[in-house]
Amino acid sequence: MKIIDTAEQVEREFFGQPFDLEKWRAYAAGISPELARMCLEDIEKYDFDRQAAPVLRASLSRPGKLRELHASFLRAVDGLRVRGPALLGDIGPTIVLYLGLCCAAGWATRLEGAPAILLGVEKIIELDWCGETAMKALLFHELGHLWHESLRGELEDGENERQRAVLQLYCEGVAMICQQRLAGEPELFHQDRDGWLNWCRENEGAIKADYLRRMEAGESVQDFFGDWARFMGRPDVGYFLGRQFVAWLLGRHTLEEIAVLPYDQLEASLTAFLRG
């Protein structure tokens, strides 16, 4: 496991001053020749000036939050060194704490051909996932994606909306279970604030019904995923539902078996779960 921790550099070079994209390019190139290209390609998916620039400006004015998340990051990495190999094997990722372009708080990907986890301080500050519990959950969740990929190979996106609905819920559910196992906390949801988890439990039937309806109609399920999306006024509801689905599958399979289930079996199992 390799750690690239740029928190002190980020505070020194970016905090308390207007964001400079060219300066950021040079900074990102110092981490990896691929990093700037990956982030710049990703922001083509959204309106950077309207959606990301305000987040960067706000985050770069809060050095206290950066220091808090940095301390939490160091503790989470120490915990990962202790619990990670025994539970998920040694997949040896590079873990990067960096200033991104609002691509994601956590991003399981590859840098220079090797598995990597990118943790974007600007999104972590925006979401206020700076405490130890939230940071631990975020890091462990992304590691779960890498572990899943190490068994299944590159995780497919799906060829249509129905397939994407099945695969996204499944992949996030596996990562949620990995997150909870690594933490040793079976109810750990870093999204849980303002009654989020209780609301999800109370509305699980409605969540399942609408997810099934959209899946069968070939409609997008993006409302269930991401902090910019909302289902019934709540963000990230798909992470709760995915965790529930994979927990249901664990009554029939090991997690290693679940990680490589063929698509047809996944779709049939998800349909049965959502109807149950």
Side-chain angles (χ1 to χ4, degrees):
M1 186 169 65
K2 178 182 178 183
I3 307 299
I4 300 176
D5 177 0
T6 71
E8 293 181 359
Q9 180 186 0
V10 168
E11 182 172 2
R12 184 175 63 250
E13 297 184 5
F14 293 96
F15 269 63
Q17 52 194 291
F19 179 73
D20 184 331
L21 185 58
E22 291 308 312
K23 184 178 181 180
W24 179 88
R25 286 178 189 265
Y27 152 80
I31 297 172
S32 165
E34 297 181 352
L35 184 58
R37 174 189 57 78
M38 290 168 56
C39 291
L40 291 167
E41 287 179 357
D42 189 71
I43 68 172
E44 292 177 359
K45 302 172 186 174
Y46 52 87
D47 185 335
F48 179 80
D49 290 335
R50 184 176 64 84
Q51 294 177 293
V55 173
L56 280 163
R57 285 195 297 269
S59 296
L60 294 175
S61 68
R62 305 176 73 188
K65 282 296 180 182
L66 176 65
R67 293 167 196 155
E68 180 187 355
L69 76 83
H70 185 219
S72 297
F73 169 76
L74 295 176
R75 290 192 291 269
V77 167
D78 285 344
L80 182 58
R81 288 192 174 106
V82 172
R83 295 183 62 86
L87 289 174
L88 298 180
D90 183 14
I91 61 176
T94 296
I95 300 173
V96 184
L97 185 66
Y98 82 122
L99 178 67
L101 300 178
C102 296
C103 302
W107 186 357
T109 184
R110 302 185 79 81
L111 280 179
E112 299 166 49
I117 295 170
L118 308 180
L119 301 176
V121 300
E122 76 293 345
K123 286 294 293 181
I124 295 170
I125 291 172
E126 181 205 12
L127 298 168
D128 199 14
W129 290 349
C130 302
E132 185 174 353
T133 297
M135 177 63 70
K136 181 172 60 177
L138 177 62
L139 175 57
F140 293 173
H141 184 90
E142 300 307 322
L143 183 63
H145 282 306
L146 292 183
W147 172 81
H148 193 184
E149 187 174 293
S150 74
L151 294 183
R152 192 179 185 95
E154 185 174 357
L155 300 174
E156 58 268 48
D157 292 328
E159 297 178 357
N160 53 52
E161 291 292 352
R162 183 184 182 96
Q163 291 183 5
R164 281 189 281 273
V166 173
L167 292 167
Q168 188 169 9
L169 195 77
Y170 159 67
C171 291
E172 294 300 348
V174 169
M176 287 299 302
I177 291 294
C178 290
Q179 162 187 317
Q180 293 172 344
R181 287 189 173 185
L182 278 166
E185 299 178 36
E187 294 298 311
L188 176 61
F189 292 87
H190 55 282
Q191 301 91 343
D192 186 20
R193 66 177 63 190
D194 301 324
W196 179 90
L197 183 55
N198 284 337
W199 182 91
C200 288
R201 287 172 173 154
E202 291 168 1
N203 292 277
E204 184 170 348
I207 296 168
K208 287 168 133 182
D210 201 70
Y211 204 92
L212 178 63
R213 181 192 65 77
R214 295 191 195 200
M215 187 179 88
E216 293 186 332
E219 295 180 10
S220 172
V221 294
Q222 192 55 52
D223 289 352
F224 292 80
F225 300 97
D227 61 280
W228 287 343
R230 293 288 187 277
F231 172 76
M232 294 176 64
R234 296 281 181 165
D236 289 335
V237 172
Y239 295 87
F240 167 80
L241 187 61
R243 184 267 180 197
Q244 298 297 86
F245 171 50
V246 175
W248 181 80
L249 286 173
L250 283 168
R252 299 153 178 78
H253 307 279
T254 67
L255 188 58
E256 289 77 11
E257 291 169 344
I258 292 168
V260 295
L261 285 175
Y263 176 82
D264 288 349
Q265 190 171 350
L266 279 174
E267 183 177 309
S269 295
L270 179 56
T271 300
F273 165 75
L274 294 174
R275 286 177 175 164

